[in-house]
Amino acid sequence: MQNSTLFRRAAALLLTAALALTLVLPGLAAYEMPIQTVNEGESVYLFNADIDKPILEQNADQQRYIASLTKMMTALLVLESGTDLSAGITIPASLTPELQSIRANRGHTIGLQAGETVRRIDMMYAMLLPSANDAASVLAVDTSGSLAAFAAQMN
């Protein structure tokens, strides 16, 4: 009987110590983030908004193309506009020069043609997954009326 009481007390003490340890460990995990870049030519800028300061900077002032960020912003503005994603968009003829320019510059495309109708959700998938520039342009015009107005809305 004394052995079982001693065993229960020891088990309770051990479990209490284990619980205390698991509550304390996350607070002790203050260390530099182990981010490794592939080469010194890459740019990285990691900012902690909670403490309002950069955590990691590498070539932060070097200019870079922002195509993927622009597409994410396009998706955000399309979603914020509240338009029906299952509704179709008819590709306007006014975008023909833009679509031709995208193809001429070997940009990613899904081959959109003026006059065809594609659902907004399919345009979103095309823009975000295979990074289709033509789908991004169509969504921009559909959301704001023109590419210039969409650029102003993004800014």
Side-chain angles (χ1 to χ4, degrees):
M1 176 112 162
Q2 262 187 339
N3 282 345
S4 67
T5 303
L6 184 62
F7 177 73
R8 278 189 280 175
R9 284 186 181 171
L13 181 63
L14 183 64
L15 289 173
T16 302
L19 178 62
L21 187 62
T22 60
L23 294 174
V24 169
L25 282 179
L28 299 176
Y31 55 86
E32 290 293 319
M33 294 188 66
I35 295 176
Q36 299 290 323
T37 58
V38 175
N39 62 53
E40 292 184 17
E42 290 181 326
S43 294
V44 176
Y45 187 78
L46 187 59
F47 188 83
N48 185 336
D50 292 333
I51 59 174
D52 199 33
K53 73 179 217 181
I55 297 171
L56 178 68
E57 293 181 63
Q58 179 176 310
N59 299 323
D61 296 326
Q62 191 172 9
Q63 290 186 353
R64 298 288 183 177
Y65 292 111
I66 58 165
S68 295
L69 291 175
T70 302
K71 289 175 181 142
M72 287 189 286
M73 184 67 169
T74 301
L76 176 67
L77 291 176
V78 169
L79 292 173
E80 285 181 348
S81 73
T83 56
D84 181 10
L85 294 179
S86 62
I89 303 172
T90 301
I91 311 320
S94 63
L95 269 181
T96 299
E98 172 74 10
L99 301 178
Q100 289 172 343
S101 174
I102 291 168
R103 283 188 214 99
N105 291 309
R106 302 178 58 87
H108 292 227
T109 178
I110 57 169
L112 295 173
Q113 300 291 326
E116 76 177 297
T117 301
V118 180
R119 293 183 320 154
R120 274 187 194 92
I121 190 70
D122 295 329
M123 293 273 199
M124 293 279 279
Y125 284 129
M127 176 183 66
L128 294 171
L129 297 176
S131 197
N133 296 331
D134 53 354
S137 293
V138 171
L139 285 167
V141 169
D142 179 62
T143 301
S144 300
S146 71
L147 293 174
F150 190 77
Q153 187 179 357
M154 284 197 313
N155 292 323

